[in-house]
Amino acid sequence: MSDAAPTIQNRLRDEILPPLIILALALGFWELSVKILDIPPWLLPAPSDVVDRFFKTTTLWYHTGLTVLEALAGFAVSAVLGVSLSAGIVHSRFLERGVFPYVIVSNAIPIIAIIPLLTIWFGFGIAPKIMICSIISFFPIVTNTTRGLKATDRRIIEFMRSINATRLEILLKVQLPSALPFIFASFKIAASLALVGAVVAEFYSSDRGLGYLIITSATQLRTDLLFVAIVVLAALGVSSFMLFGYLERVTTRGERSDETQ
Amino acid sequence: MEARRQRDPAFSEVPAPPSVAASGPAFPCIVLDRVSLRFQSERRRVQALSDISLSIAEGEFVALLGPTGCGKSSLLRLVSDLLAPTAGTIAVRGEPAAAARRLNQFGFVFQEPALLSWRTTLGNVQLPLEVVGYPPEKRIARCEELLDSVGLLKFKDAYPHELSGGMKQRAAMVRALAWNPSILLMDEPFTALDELTRGQLQDDLLQLWNHERKTILFVTHNISEAIYLADRIVVMSPHPGRIKTVLRPDLPRPRTDDFHETQEFMKWTRMAREALRS
């Protein structure tokens, strides 16, 4: 945009390099400590062992894919239902008063408590996991989107009404675009919650997925595999966080740039 | 009730509706007949406007002048059917205000520009054209012509945050004119601007008004702004909002900057101030 925009090289040096250096130092310290103190691998595997296990575990991508699929499907269901419900809540006082208490209830019930119930009803397959992911990510999406839709400049809405715009036009042209930063901020939270939901659901009742991998490797004291699963989960969480964080930033560019000038 | 009203000195100054209508030209554009507006909040009822009767001619520039809380802004929202009156009727060219709104007769400008931050200047000006069903192939040409007339053509691809306050307000003004509505409703549009910019925008507005003769209802609490711009000044008083008196300066146009130094301008400023104070 402006000529002061950081170049790729500058960003690499200023933003990417420092955390990489810290990581390298920490890993080196870890590796050395394990080797020098001769810590048994079931207690704490060396980073090199974890990397080794990562490449040797051929089924890793199958488990990861399944967990991602569950989380993504649940999140997608919540995103569509949540944003639609928010649009309804903003346009109807009845819906707001009638539905919002239950949205709060859905957040108050501990998700762990529902997993056995959903397993009784829907079995050990993928369906109950998707439901868990969807329930756990629903609340932040609805609350944030509703807040964003309500935060629209009242005057723009008055302007739209004065030219006889329909509610749908106001929603699509004004309210939704102005709520996008709020929506992506909620997606950022919801996506990581969905991932947690998938793993927790797999803990309880599954024979595949990253959650299953974690539980079995822990019970068999295959700590290196446990670390692999954790690292993969962390990487997934960070990527979804970065994706939606980026979308959030892009959509707020207009409001934010006053401070950068 | 009636007797008490008669004794109220403020009320006795209100011109009776027929005389206002009679003093205006033959084609009234907007007619308010004994309009009242009450807001019902949880705790109390607020009488925002009481017994407003006013007739505005086609192509007339009318300023609503009064302190904060006199219901001037509510009056604009009543005329444009954003609010419904508690009592009385509002007619726009003989039809209810709702009909005029459906025909996209109103262009609204607010104190804040209220532009969409994710649209460029051109995109913002185009917004109403998308809603009112303006022919798509003519939209850009129309917007560019209007932007050019207020010196914003160079900034058509800029986003609101890249514009100055004056530019944003110009864009908001152009947005309210884009589909050529016949009535312009302006709610303290220049209040947030600095003195110099305000002067420029006032002149821009007069020029646009000269070009495409609109009926303008202009809300302000700035006396000299009202006299500089308007044909007729409706002076209002608060709690509840009512018309105190109507001034008709009838000063020559076009008006330029030295208009502010003329004897006539001073005289009417004094009269308006006295009317506000009394």
Side-chain angles (χ1 to χ4, degrees), chain A residues 10-40:
Chain A
N10 281 346
R11 278 201 59 177
L12 209 67
R13 195 189 58 212
D14 296 339
E15 291 175 33
I16 316 242
L17 212 53
L20 281 183
I21 292 171
I22 297 293
L23 181 70
L25 286 175
L27 288 178
F29 178 73
W30 176 359
E31 181 85 37
L32 278 176
S33 317
V34 169
K35 291 275 145 64
I36 293 168
L37 301 172
D38 203 20
I39 298 172

Short mmCIF file of all heavy atoms in Angstrom, two decimals, chain A residues 10-40:
data_model
loop_
_atom_site.label_atom_id
_atom_site.label_comp_id
_atom_site.label_asym_id
_atom_site.label_seq_id
_atom_site.Cartn_x
_atom_site.Cartn_y
_atom_site.Cartn_z
N ASN A 10 12.56 -7.90 4.94
CA ASN A 10 12.48 -7.24 6.24
C ASN A 10 11.57 -8.00 7.19
O ASN A 10 11.87 -8.16 8.37
CB ASN A 10 11.96 -5.81 6.09
CG ASN A 10 13.06 -4.89 5.59
OD1 ASN A 10 14.23 -5.25 5.62
ND2 ASN A 10 12.67 -3.73 5.13
N ARG A 11 10.44 -8.45 6.67
CA ARG A 11 9.50 -9.19 7.52
C ARG A 11 10.14 -10.48 8.00
O ARG A 11 9.99 -10.87 9.15
CB ARG A 11 8.22 -9.51 6.75
CG ARG A 11 7.25 -8.36 6.72
CD ARG A 11 5.86 -8.85 6.43
NE ARG A 11 5.39 -9.83 7.42
CZ ARG A 11 4.18 -10.36 7.39
NH1 ARG A 11 3.34 -10.02 6.45
NH2 ARG A 11 3.81 -11.23 8.31
N LEU A 12 10.87 -11.14 7.07
CA LEU A 12 11.54 -12.38 7.41
C LEU A 12 12.49 -12.14 8.57
O LEU A 12 12.51 -12.90 9.55
CB LEU A 12 12.31 -12.89 6.18
CG LEU A 12 12.50 -14.40 6.09
CD1 LEU A 12 11.16 -15.08 5.86
CD2 LEU A 12 13.45 -14.73 4.95
N ARG A 13 13.24 -11.04 8.47
CA ARG A 13 14.24 -10.76 9.47
C ARG A 13 13.60 -10.34 10.80
O ARG A 13 14.02 -10.76 11.86
CB ARG A 13 15.17 -9.64 8.96
CG ARG A 13 16.46 -9.49 9.75
CD ARG A 13 17.18 -8.22 9.33
NE ARG A 13 16.32 -7.08 9.53
CZ ARG A 13 16.34 -5.97 8.77
NH1 ARG A 13 17.15 -5.90 7.75
NH2 ARG A 13 15.55 -4.96 9.04
N ASP A 14 12.54 -9.49 10.72
CA ASP A 14 12.00 -8.88 11.93
C ASP A 14 10.97 -9.75 12.64
O ASP A 14 10.83 -9.69 13.85
CB ASP A 14 11.37 -7.53 11.61
CG ASP A 14 12.42 -6.55 11.10
OD1 ASP A 14 13.60 -6.79 11.39
OD2 ASP A 14 12.04 -5.59 10.41
N GLU A 15 10.21 -10.53 11.86
CA GLU A 15 9.08 -11.21 12.49
C GLU A 15 9.24 -12.72 12.55
O GLU A 15 8.76 -13.36 13.47
CB GLU A 15 7.78 -10.87 11.74
CG GLU A 15 7.37 -9.42 11.93
CD GLU A 15 6.16 -9.06 11.08
OE1 GLU A 15 5.30 -9.95 10.88
OE2 GLU A 15 6.08 -7.93 10.60
N ILE A 16 9.87 -13.30 11.53
CA ILE A 16 9.93 -14.76 11.46
C ILE A 16 11.18 -15.29 12.16
O ILE A 16 11.15 -16.31 12.84
CB ILE A 16 9.90 -15.23 9.99
CG1 ILE A 16 8.83 -14.45 9.25
CG2 ILE A 16 9.76 -16.74 9.90
CD1 ILE A 16 7.70 -15.17 8.67
N LEU A 17 12.28 -14.55 11.99
CA LEU A 17 13.55 -15.05 12.49
C LEU A 17 13.61 -15.17 14.02
O LEU A 17 14.01 -16.23 14.53
CB LEU A 17 14.70 -14.16 11.97
CG LEU A 17 16.03 -14.88 11.73
CD1 LEU A 17 15.84 -16.09 10.83
CD2 LEU A 17 17.06 -13.91 11.14
N PRO A 18 13.20 -14.13 14.79
CA PRO A 18 13.32 -14.24 16.26
C PRO A 18 12.66 -15.47 16.86
O PRO A 18 13.33 -16.20 17.63
CB PRO A 18 12.67 -12.96 16.76
CG PRO A 18 12.77 -12.01 15.63
CD PRO A 18 12.68 -12.83 14.37
N PRO A 19 11.39 -15.78 16.54
CA PRO A 19 10.82 -16.99 17.14
C PRO A 19 11.53 -18.27 16.70
O PRO A 19 11.63 -19.23 17.47
CB PRO A 19 9.36 -16.99 16.66
CG PRO A 19 9.30 -16.03 15.53
CD PRO A 19 10.38 -15.04 15.75
N LEU A 20 12.07 -18.27 15.45
CA LEU A 20 12.79 -19.46 14.98
C LEU A 20 14.07 -19.68 15.78
O LEU A 20 14.42 -20.81 16.13
CB LEU A 20 13.12 -19.32 13.49
CG LEU A 20 11.97 -19.61 12.52
CD1 LEU A 20 12.45 -19.51 11.07
CD2 LEU A 20 11.38 -21.00 12.78
N ILE A 21 14.74 -18.57 16.09
CA ILE A 21 15.98 -18.69 16.87
C ILE A 21 15.68 -19.25 18.25
O ILE A 21 16.35 -20.17 18.74
CB ILE A 21 16.67 -17.32 16.99
CG1 ILE A 21 17.18 -16.88 15.60
CG2 ILE A 21 17.82 -17.36 17.99
CD1 ILE A 21 17.68 -15.47 15.56
N ILE A 22 14.63 -18.70 18.88
CA ILE A 22 14.25 -19.18 20.21
C ILE A 22 13.90 -20.66 20.16
O ILE A 22 14.31 -21.46 21.02
CB ILE A 22 13.03 -18.37 20.74
CG1 ILE A 22 13.41 -16.89 20.89
CG2 ILE A 22 12.52 -18.95 22.05
CD1 ILE A 22 14.43 -16.60 21.95
N LEU A 23 13.17 -21.06 19.12
CA LEU A 23 12.77 -22.46 18.97
C LEU A 23 13.99 -23.37 18.85
O LEU A 23 14.10 -24.41 19.52
CB LEU A 23 11.86 -22.61 17.74
CG LEU A 23 11.34 -24.03 17.47
CD1 LEU A 23 10.33 -24.44 18.54
CD2 LEU A 23 10.71 -24.14 16.09
N ALA A 24 14.93 -22.93 17.99
CA ALA A 24 16.13 -23.73 17.78
C ALA A 24 16.91 -23.90 19.09
O ALA A 24 17.37 -25.00 19.42
CB ALA A 24 17.01 -23.08 16.72
N LEU A 25 17.00 -22.79 19.84
CA LEU A 25 17.71 -22.85 21.12
C LEU A 25 17.02 -23.81 22.08
O LEU A 25 17.67 -24.66 22.71
CB LEU A 25 17.77 -21.45 21.75
CG LEU A 25 18.76 -20.47 21.09
CD1 LEU A 25 18.64 -19.10 21.72
CD2 LEU A 25 20.19 -21.01 21.24
N ALA A 26 15.72 -23.71 22.17
CA ALA A 26 14.97 -24.57 23.10
C ALA A 26 15.12 -26.03 22.72
O ALA A 26 15.34 -26.89 23.59
CB ALA A 26 13.50 -24.15 23.10
N LEU A 27 15.01 -26.30 21.41
CA LEU A 27 15.12 -27.69 20.95
C LEU A 27 16.52 -28.24 21.23
O LEU A 27 16.69 -29.39 21.66
CB LEU A 27 14.79 -27.79 19.46
CG LEU A 27 13.31 -27.61 19.10
CD1 LEU A 27 13.11 -27.68 17.59
CD2 LEU A 27 12.44 -28.67 19.79
N GLY A 28 17.51 -27.40 20.99
CA GLY A 28 18.88 -27.81 21.24
C GLY A 28 19.11 -28.15 22.70
O GLY A 28 19.69 -29.20 23.04
N PHE A 29 18.61 -27.31 23.57
CA PHE A 29 18.72 -27.52 25.02
C PHE A 29 18.04 -28.81 25.43
O PHE A 29 18.58 -29.62 26.18
CB PHE A 29 18.09 -26.31 25.74
CG PHE A 29 18.11 -26.44 27.23
CD1 PHE A 29 19.31 -26.30 27.93
CD2 PHE A 29 16.94 -26.68 27.94
CE1 PHE A 29 19.33 -26.40 29.31
CE2 PHE A 29 16.96 -26.80 29.32
CZ PHE A 29 18.15 -26.66 30.00
N TRP A 30 16.86 -29.01 24.89
CA TRP A 30 16.06 -30.21 25.15
C TRP A 30 16.83 -31.46 24.72
O TRP A 30 17.01 -32.41 25.47
CB TRP A 30 14.72 -30.05 24.42
CG TRP A 30 13.77 -31.21 24.50
CD1 TRP A 30 13.95 -32.41 25.11
CD2 TRP A 30 12.48 -31.27 23.90
NE1 TRP A 30 12.86 -33.21 24.95
CE2 TRP A 30 11.92 -32.53 24.21
CE3 TRP A 30 11.72 -30.38 23.13
CZ2 TRP A 30 10.66 -32.92 23.77
CZ3 TRP A 30 10.47 -30.76 22.69
CH2 TRP A 30 9.94 -32.02 23.02
N GLU A 31 17.32 -31.43 23.47
CA GLU A 31 18.03 -32.57 22.90
C GLU A 31 19.25 -32.93 23.77
O GLU A 31 19.45 -34.08 24.17
CB GLU A 31 18.48 -32.21 21.47
CG GLU A 31 19.23 -33.33 20.74
CD GLU A 31 18.29 -34.31 20.07
OE1 GLU A 31 17.24 -33.85 19.57
OE2 GLU A 31 18.59 -35.52 20.07
N LEU A 32 20.02 -31.88 24.11
CA LEU A 32 21.23 -32.09 24.92
C LEU A 32 20.89 -32.65 26.29
O LEU A 32 21.54 -33.60 26.76
CB LEU A 32 21.99 -30.78 25.06
CG LEU A 32 22.89 -30.42 23.87
CD1 LEU A 32 23.53 -29.05 24.07
CD2 LEU A 32 23.97 -31.50 23.68
N SER A 33 19.86 -32.06 26.93
CA SER A 33 19.49 -32.51 28.27
C SER A 33 19.13 -33.99 28.26
O SER A 33 19.55 -34.75 29.13
CB SER A 33 18.30 -31.71 28.81
OG SER A 33 18.46 -30.37 28.53
N VAL A 34 18.33 -34.38 27.26
CA VAL A 34 17.91 -35.78 27.19
C VAL A 34 19.12 -36.69 27.03
O VAL A 34 19.24 -37.72 27.70
CB VAL A 34 16.91 -35.97 26.03
CG1 VAL A 34 16.67 -37.46 25.77
CG2 VAL A 34 15.60 -35.25 26.32
N LYS A 35 20.06 -36.27 26.15
CA LYS A 35 21.23 -37.10 25.88
C LYS A 35 22.15 -37.17 27.09
O LYS A 35 22.59 -38.24 27.50
CB LYS A 35 21.99 -36.54 24.67
CG LYS A 35 21.23 -36.72 23.35
CD LYS A 35 21.45 -38.09 22.72
CE LYS A 35 20.24 -38.63 22.02
NZ LYS A 35 19.75 -37.92 20.85
N ILE A 36 22.41 -35.98 27.68
CA ILE A 36 23.37 -35.92 28.79
C ILE A 36 22.82 -36.61 30.04
O ILE A 36 23.51 -37.40 30.69
CB ILE A 36 23.76 -34.46 29.11
CG1 ILE A 36 24.56 -33.88 27.93
CG2 ILE A 36 24.56 -34.37 30.40
CD1 ILE A 36 24.75 -32.40 28.00
N LEU A 37 21.54 -36.30 30.37
CA LEU A 37 20.97 -36.85 31.60
C LEU A 37 20.44 -38.27 31.40
O LEU A 37 19.95 -38.89 32.34
CB LEU A 37 19.84 -35.95 32.12
CG LEU A 37 20.25 -34.51 32.43
CD1 LEU A 37 19.03 -33.66 32.76
CD2 LEU A 37 21.25 -34.48 33.59
N ASP A 38 20.50 -38.73 30.13
CA ASP A 38 20.07 -40.08 29.81
C ASP A 38 18.63 -40.35 30.27
O ASP A 38 18.33 -41.34 30.95
CB ASP A 38 21.03 -41.09 30.47
CG ASP A 38 20.96 -42.43 29.73
OD1 ASP A 38 20.50 -42.43 28.56
OD2 ASP A 38 21.35 -43.44 30.33
N ILE A 39 17.74 -39.42 29.90
CA ILE A 39 16.32 -39.55 30.27
C ILE A 39 15.69 -40.65 29.41
O ILE A 39 15.89 -40.68 28.20
CB ILE A 39 15.57 -38.23 30.05
CG1 ILE A 39 16.19 -37.14 30.96
CG2 ILE A 39 14.07 -38.35 30.32
CD1 ILE A 39 15.69 -35.76 30.72
N PRO A 40 14.94 -41.57 30.02
CA PRO A 40 14.34 -42.65 29.23
C PRO A 40 13.31 -42.09 28.24
O PRO A 40 12.58 -41.17 28.59
CB PRO A 40 13.68 -43.54 30.29
CG PRO A 40 13.51 -42.67 31.48
CD PRO A 40 14.64 -41.69 31.45
#
